[in-house]
Amino acid sequence: MKIVHVLTRLLRAGSEENTLACCLAQARHGHEVLLVHGQEYDAGLRASVAGAIRVVTLEKLINSISPSRDISAFGQLTRLLRDWQPDIVHTHQSKAGIVGRLAAKEANVRCIVHGVHILPFVHVGNAQRLMFLAAERLAAKVTRAFIDVSQAMRDICIANHLGSPDQHHVVHSGFDLTRFANAQWPQEPHLLLGTAAGEPKPPVILMLAALEPRKRHVEFIEAFGQVVDRIPNVRLILAGEGPTRSAVEAAIERSPFANNVRMIGYHCEPERLISLADVCVLTSMREGLPRVVMQYLAGGRASVVSHLPGVEEVVKHGVNGIVTPAEDVGAAAAAIADLLQNERYRAQLAASAKFTDLSSWGMDAMCDRVESIYQSVLESALSAARPNDPRIRDGLAKQTVGLHGF
């Protein structure tokens, strides 16, 4: 089977990791896989997968709205898809989801699937909401299936007339659960924390998130003072890379508590950082059901997370974590300080986190579920085209045999 995945950006973040895991699994099972991404990408990440799958950069595909560049990206992608003639086009992220699905339709691709990692019309102004909804509804008309990262994402889509219920499939964003459950501290943790060798570990807060405006690193740094006021030796580790790095660095520099903040960039062993942390935090304003929250839980750590669509599916407030209002970063900081000063409560949350059932977030579970959706969509498309044509029946049989080997 020939599969094309289309991403707006190829950075070190959850939706990209989810997409790459599927790409690599599909390639291992003999499918031809093409990954198309936009102008923003991590060169190291791109190089790490280029040996296993074909990767193409569309320089005109960018995250922000730009009519001239969007039209150019649409034209480039349409020509690429016509040349490649894929069986499945699977789009991810908001801009690629719009441009990619419309280009696939223009290129006469029958099976168009969209991964709903985030909804661009949630927690934005009215004008943006209307514009994003119009674009999503246009693209939804040419979409055969939606793969939602949470039940809440599915429900919001259906409530806003983005596809019918039978087109939506909830597939949790998979990762290696064992890796996080059995993690040890990083080597020489004092270097990460800025403490002397042999000195007792101070209380540690971890925010594991790409440096993007919606993650609100800057706002959290500004609210972090109320934590330091109560726990003076606390350390905040910010692990991640992204387009707002300079803004986050500037926020740290102007903070009177800069010495308590450690910005370490991308870390290849996030499970070790979680093991080192006393409390983990995520203050996103807009997101699907972020995989990092499940990683916090798998690592058995107390966490404070924003009230995002679907988060209640796994984080039970006061049981295995703390959920704070998405619009109130200060509430997250206060909750963290409370946990750091209440060791017994923190330990109770951590114990419950470790025993949270995360089996549906396993890597194999995700890849198998995506495979079954592809199979269903392909069978439906081939049957609907010309159900009595023996050539279609033969093609369907061949595709089905190939898919069962996935």
Side-chain angles (χ1 to χ4, degrees):
M1 182 167 55
K2 298 179 74 172
I3 306 164
V4 175
H5 291 266
V6 188
L7 280 163
T8 308
R9 300 187 290 191
L10 184 59
L11 302 175
R12 296 185 184 273
S15 61
E16 290 95 320
E17 291 176 359
N18 169 299
T19 303
L20 291 177
C22 285
C23 287
L24 294 173
Q26 290 158 6
R28 283 195 300 270
H29 289 87
H31 299 299
E32 292 184 69
V33 181
L34 170 63
L35 175 66
V36 181
H37 65 82
Q39 181 188 56
E40 291 183 71
Y41 65 94
D42 181 295
L45 183 59
R46 189 186 195 280
S48 71
V49 299
I53 60 176
R54 183 182 172 192
V55 184
V56 172
T57 304
L58 285 187
E59 293 291 342
K60 297 295 184 180
L61 181 58
I62 60 174
N63 187 56
S64 57
I65 297 172
S66 172
S68 62
R69 298 191 65 156
D70 295 344
I71 291 170
S72 295
F74 167 80
Q76 289 177 339
L77 187 53
T78 299
R79 290 189 291 272
L80 177 63
L81 295 176
R82 281 176 177 159
D83 289 342
W84 222 63
Q85 297 183 347
D87 300 299
I88 299 278
V89 169
H90 188 167
T91 62
H92 311 262
Q93 302 171 340
S94 301
K95 175 65 80 66
I98 303 299
V99 175
R101 283 180 283 172
L102 297 179
K105 176 63 175 177
E106 184 69 13
N108 295 315
V109 177
R110 286 186 184 143
C111 300
I112 302 172
V113 177
H114 179 56
V116 184
H117 303 271
I118 187 172
L119 291 168
F121 54 84
V122 174
H123 290 152
V124 295
N126 287 334
Q128 286 181 301
R129 173 180 167 78
L130 292 173
M131 178 179 63
F132 290 143
L133 260 178
E136 289 286 345
R137 285 172 179 163
L138 177 64
K141 292 179 180 179
V142 305
T143 309
R144 283 193 173 267
F146 298 84
I147 297 179
D148 309 286
V149 296
S150 71
Q151 182 68 34
M153 291 285 100
R154 174 189 181 275
D155 293 346
I156 293 172
C157 284
I158 293 169
N160 285 279
H161 311 293
L162 301 176
S164 59
D166 63 316
Q167 289 180 290
H168 283 267
H169 310 269
V170 176
V171 180
H172 294 142
S173 186
F175 62 97
D176 184 348
L177 295 168
T178 303
R179 176 181 170 189
F180 287 82
N182 301 325
Q184 302 297 316
W185 283 12
Q187 294 183 353
E188 300 184 302
H190 66 282
L191 298 179
L192 284 174
L193 300 174
T195 58
E199 182 181 333
K201 182 183 80 69
V204 176
I205 304 164
L206 171 67
M207 182 185 289
L208 192 61
L211 303 180
E212 300 177 354
R214 62 190 173 91
K215 306 286 188 176
R216 296 191 297 180
H217 293 81
V218 171
E219 291 87 342
F220 185 72
I221 291 166
E222 292 170 348
F224 179 57
Q226 62 179 294
V227 182
V228 182
D229 286 343
R230 293 165 62 180
I231 305 98
N233 66 332
V234 69
R235 293 292 189 275
L236 169 63
I237 298 178
L238 303 177
E241 284 290 355
T244 62
R245 182 181 181 89
S246 59
V248 176
E249 289 175 335
I252 295 171
E253 289 176 5
R254 64 176 177 263
S255 170
F257 310 105
N259 290 336
N260 296 80
V261 182
R262 307 291 290 176
M263 187 175 179
I264 66 171
Y266 169 74
H267 196 283
C268 63
E269 296 180 309
E271 70 279 8
R272 288 182 176 266
L273 298 180
I274 293 172
S275 177
L276 183 64
D278 295 286
V279 177
C280 298
V281 61
L282 187 71
T283 55
S284 300
M285 172 62 82
R286 289 188 302 112
E287 200 145 5
L289 182 51
R291 183 166 57 169
V292 70
V293 171
M294 265 51 69
Q295 293 172 347
Y296 292 165
L297 293 171
R301 287 297 175 267
S303 57
V304 175
V305 300
S306 295
H307 186 202
L308 300 164
V311 76
E312 69 279 355
E313 294 175 31
V314 284
V315 181
K316 309 303 179 184
H317 180 72
V319 177
N320 62 351
I322 299 296
V323 181
T324 56
E327 67 279 3
D328 192 350
V329 176
I336 290 168
D338 290 343
L339 285 177
L340 290 177
Q341 291 186 321
N342 190 335
E343 184 176 354
R344 183 177 178 181
Y345 185 35
R346 188 172 75 248
Q348 289 175 351
L349 293 180
S352 295
K354 198 166 189 65
F355 288 102
T356 302
D357 181 9
L358 299 174
S359 56
S360 62
W361 274 269
M363 188 72 76
D364 290 342
M366 176 184 72
C367 293
D368 289 347
R369 185 77 177 103
V370 170
E371 178 268 329
S372 69
I373 294 165
Y374 284 2
Q375 178 177 325
S376 176
V377 168
L378 189 60
E379 290 177 357
S380 175
L382 288 171
S383 297
R386 294 173 67 185
N388 297 317
D389 189 326
R391 293 172 297 175
I392 295 296
R393 289 199 302 271
D394 291 345
L396 175 58
K398 290 178 182 177
Q399 293 286 3
T400 302
V401 169
L403 282 163
H404 282 307
F406 179 80

